[in-house]
Amino acid sequence: MSDVLFSIIIPTYNHAHLIERCLNSVISQTYHNWEAIVINNFSEDNTIEVVEQFKDSRIRLVNYANNGIIAASRNRGILEAKGEWICFLDSDDWWANNKLEECLFYLSNYDIIYHDFSIYRENNIKVGAAKKIKGRVLNRDLIADMLVNGNAIVTSSVVVRRDIIMQVGMMCEDKTLVGVEDYDYWLRIMKYTNRVKYIPKLLGFYYIGQNTSGSIKQIDKLTAIYNKYKKELSESDRIKTFVRIRYDQARLYHMNGNFMCARKAYIEALKGKYNVCKSLIGYLLTLFHYQY
């Protein structure tokens, strides 16, 4: 399958200090038939200089103002892409050198492929051996699984068939979904196909910098996802999804020091019997204003 062309879409903004590592991981791929499309949101650092130092005709730089909506950059990349398979890679993340080769084995039978990630901080410091972003095999009811159990897919791991994108359309650029537009996209794709493949291997590296707390803005975004898709769920799955989201929101409140709101959300998670042990520990810690 050496004739398969992967189009790798890399949105970036002021990541001159990170994008070199990202692009090096692409150039180091053991499978060589790819193109990388860097969508630069008019960075104010030397991103352009760093990208242009790569004298590789497979790398293209497109300057495009996304108005703070990363989905717009990814959509521009999709329009620029020539490959039959679209890959997403954030400019602060990077891949194992066999990522594309591993995915090759599954192209005939699947439409969207994803895998696990290791988590790293500044200076390539790994966040503990057990700290990884693990996906999972989804149940037959893909949408219900993704809502009840949460998003199983890291954006920088995704390889998706271009034909499916043409059916589904572009990523949503609605500001109410900024930060969860990828989650929304996987749910939309799963309305069109159940040919979904999880590869249980660490084929990528996820960068979190020094900031280990989730954005407080994500709280409303999680609710927006729930409201958009709750009609797709049975009544029991609706309740399970709501409770799971309340736990996720509790964690976000907790990590950002809003102990009162975290406490209330943990209580709802406990009432719904979601992640009881962690919910209880989190609740008790908030009573003494301790971080989890």
Side-chain angles (χ1 to χ4, degrees):
M1 300 183 71
S2 60
D3 58 335
V4 171
L5 175 63
F6 292 99
S7 292
I8 306 162
I9 297 168
I10 307 173
T12 193
Y13 177 68
N14 287 350
H15 273 174
H17 60 301
L18 297 169
I19 198 168
E20 182 174 2
R21 177 179 61 191
C22 173
L23 289 173
N24 276 329
S25 80
V26 174
I27 287 174
S28 299
Q29 290 298 301
T30 53
Y31 181 81
H32 304 294
N33 196 19
W34 52 262
E35 61 171 358
I37 307 163
V38 179
I39 308 296
N40 174 42
N41 184 30
F42 288 93
S43 297
E44 297 172 344
D45 60 7
N46 63 324
T47 291
I48 292 177
E49 179 184 338
V50 172
V51 174
E52 289 183 342
Q53 78 181 4
F54 288 89
K55 305 302 181 183
D56 192 316
S57 61
R58 296 172 295 179
I59 299 174
R60 284 189 281 143
L61 177 68
V62 177
N63 292 306
Y64 175 73
N66 67 18
N67 298 312
I69 299 174
I70 196 169
S73 288
R74 293 189 180 120
N75 288 340
R76 177 58 186 268
I78 290 169
L79 293 174
E80 296 278 343
K82 299 174 183 176
E84 55 266 51
W85 287 88
I86 305 296
C87 308
F88 297 108
L89 176 59
D90 289 347
S91 59
D92 51 352
D93 299 334
W94 68 104
W95 287 341
N97 65 358
N98 62 331
K99 182 255 175 48
L100 293 179
E101 186 174 7
E102 286 282 346
C103 291
L104 275 177
F105 296 109
Y106 305 103
L107 300 188
S108 298
N109 298 315
Y110 297 97
D111 294 320
I112 180 170
I113 300 163
Y114 59 100
H115 54 77
D116 297 338
F117 265 67
S118 290
I119 305 176
Y120 280 76
R121 291 190 184 136
E122 297 279 1
N123 302 317
N124 289 348
I125 299 173
K126 193 173 183 179
V127 186
K131 294 293 184 180
K132 59 186 73 169
I133 304 176
K134 285 187 65 64
R136 64 177 183 275
V137 176
L138 299 174
N139 297 327
R140 287 186 179 180
D141 190 339
L142 302 176
I143 292 175
D145 189 316
M146 285 280 283
L147 290 168
V148 171
N149 300 308
N151 185 10
I153 302 175
V154 178
T155 302
S156 288
S157 75
V158 169
V159 177
V160 59
R161 192 184 300 273
R162 184 188 183 90
D163 288 348
I164 291 295
I165 288 178
M166 294 302 100
Q167 294 178 56
V168 175
M170 298 296 189
M171 281 194 174
C172 181
E173 298 181 18
D174 189 332
K175 288 186 177 180
T176 63
L177 292 178
V178 169
V180 292
E181 69 286 324
D182 51 348
Y183 190 7
D184 173 66
Y185 202 45
W186 317 144
L187 289 165
R188 286 169 55 203
I189 285 173
M190 288 170 190
K191 288 186 176 183
Y192 285 82
T193 181
N194 62 359
R195 290 163 33 106
V196 176
K197 177 62 182 178
Y198 163 55
I199 303 174
K201 292 183 179 181
L202 290 168
L203 297 175
F205 308 93
Y206 184 86
Y207 176 78
I208 61 172
Q210 294 290 356
N211 180 19
T212 59
S213 65
S215 170
I216 204 75
K217 296 177 182 178
Q218 289 296 101
I219 289 171
D220 290 337
K221 310 299 183 183
L222 291 171
T223 302
I225 286 287
Y226 171 74
N227 288 334
K228 182 174 180 177
Y229 289 98
K230 63 184 179 182
K231 292 181 180 178
E232 307 277 344
L233 298 171
S234 66
E235 182 62 29
S236 62
D237 282 345
R238 250 183 244 175
I239 294 170
K240 291 175 184 175
T241 300
F242 177 77
V243 171
R244 193 267 308 163
I245 286 174
R246 288 302 283 153
Y247 172 79
D248 290 346
Q249 290 172 333
R251 297 285 288 124
L252 288 170
Y253 279 128
H254 199 160
M255 286 188 288
N256 284 278
N258 189 335
F259 300 110
M260 183 176 293
C261 288
R263 199 175 305 140
K264 291 178 180 178
Y266 278 131
I267 288 171
E268 290 191 59
L270 283 167
K271 286 179 178 177
K273 298 182 180 179
Y274 183 84
N275 220 335
V276 173
C277 183
K278 288 186 176 181
S279 292
L280 181 58
I281 292 171
Y283 171 76
L284 293 173
L285 288 174
T286 62
L287 293 176
F288 301 98
H289 290 192
Y290 289 148
Q291 292 286 357
Y292 199 169

